[in-house]
Amino acid sequence: MSGQVNDISRLSHQLVEFYEKISSWEQDVVKSSGLSTAQMHAIEIVGHGVSLRMKELAGKMGVTTGTLTVMVDRLEEQGLLKRTPHATDRRSWLVELTAAGGKLFDQHHQYHLRLTEEITAPLSSHEQEMFTVLLEKIVSQM
Amino acid sequence: MSGQVNDISRLSHQLVEFYEKISSWEQDVVKSSGLSTAQMHAIEIVGHGVSLRMKELAGKMGVTTGTLTVMVDRLEEQGLLKRTPHATDRRSWLVELTAAGGKLFDQHHQYHLRLTEEITAPLSSHEQEMFTVLLEKIVSQM
DNA sequence: CCCATATTGTTTGATTGTCAAGATACACTA
DNA sequence: TAGTGTATCTTGACAATCAAACAATATGGG
């Protein structure tokens, strides 16, 4: 037998490398846009779907609402995000992208697509399909 | 044809999800150790190989040397890292793990192995092997 | 060897990120 | 509907971060 333990260790190492490389790629790309990675992360999450409460956004980002308050303040000053009062809960704000924020989000999304293309360049189309399927299986279980 | 563009878009989405989930897992694990994610990142990098210069470590972390100076100060105070003079370049320090730092690194490495096991649980051993091979192909090209 | 330029790490001042505690609004029970 | 506990966001104090200035050392050309 080839050893379960070594297989796991080998894969773990690849995952760390993979994660590191994506991180540094993201950092480089974001830096050129003038935002911090945390700020861009907020843009990415808000841009992905419907408007969110501060609390929900904070939860998705893994920070406290206190942290998010000042972050949204700054992104609002930069005209990328805006707060809208919640329809029925007067404690809450809904956070949304402005037009400028949406434009930035789209641009960043394009960067993601381009990175994905580069990443999968060394794979045949069959391999690429397999990789996607396996990744979907993994992600849906996490 | 099924559409190259949609395939890329689909994979890109999975990659983002995957990255997000690993990030939040890492955050949770690190938080329980009392360090910040940045600090643990330093431990991980230093623990992975030979000793590094401040500049090199800062580069790998995507942070300025000024930031690293205070970070290493704190980790040195906590007894996890130590500075050693460079053998031939008296401007430089080499950063290494202490025994306690090594122990922390080992523990964190075990967490990584456990996460890798959990992640690949829904995969057959053949699928797991394939995933590893594809990931190696990708990582080696990044 | 000497000088000019480059590199490495630290320090400083300003900005940004972070959390704990506070202030306001909601929800539920009686 | 009053009271009590819970939820949501902001505030204030502190830590992390960066860019730029600095000190010490290295490097290379005359």
Side-chain angles (χ1 to χ4, degrees), chain B residues 12-31:
Chain B
S12 176
H13 181 252
Q14 293 301 317
L15 287 173
V16 170
E17 291 276 308
F18 186 58
Y19 185 86
E20 289 288 310
K21 292 192 176 186
I22 289 185
S23 289
S24 79
W25 174 89
E26 178 84 4
Q27 248 180 352
D28 289 347
V29 165
V30 170
K31 191 168 294 174

Side-chain angles (χ1 to χ4, degrees), chain A residues 81-98:
Chain A
L81 246 51
K82 64 184 170 193
R83 276 181 252 236
T84 322
H86 190 284
T88 60
D89 188 342
R90 286 192 298 164
R91 293 169 305 180
S92 281
W93 295 99
L94 295 179
V95 184
E96 301 169 6
L97 292 185
T98 63

Side-chain angles (χ1 to χ4, degrees), chain A residues 18-27 37 41 44 112 135 139 142, chain B residues 12-26:
Chain A
F18 186 58
Y19 185 86
E20 288 289 311
K21 292 191 176 187
I22 289 185
S23 289
S24 78
W25 174 88
E26 178 84 5
Q27 250 179 351
T37 57
H41 194 197
E44 289 186 69
H112 278 180
L135 198 59
V139 168
M142 287 175 82
Chain B
S12 176
H13 181 252
Q14 293 301 317
L15 287 173
V16 170
E17 291 276 308
F18 186 58
Y19 185 86
E20 289 288 310
K21 292 192 176 186
I22 289 185
S23 289
S24 79
W25 174 89
E26 178 84 4

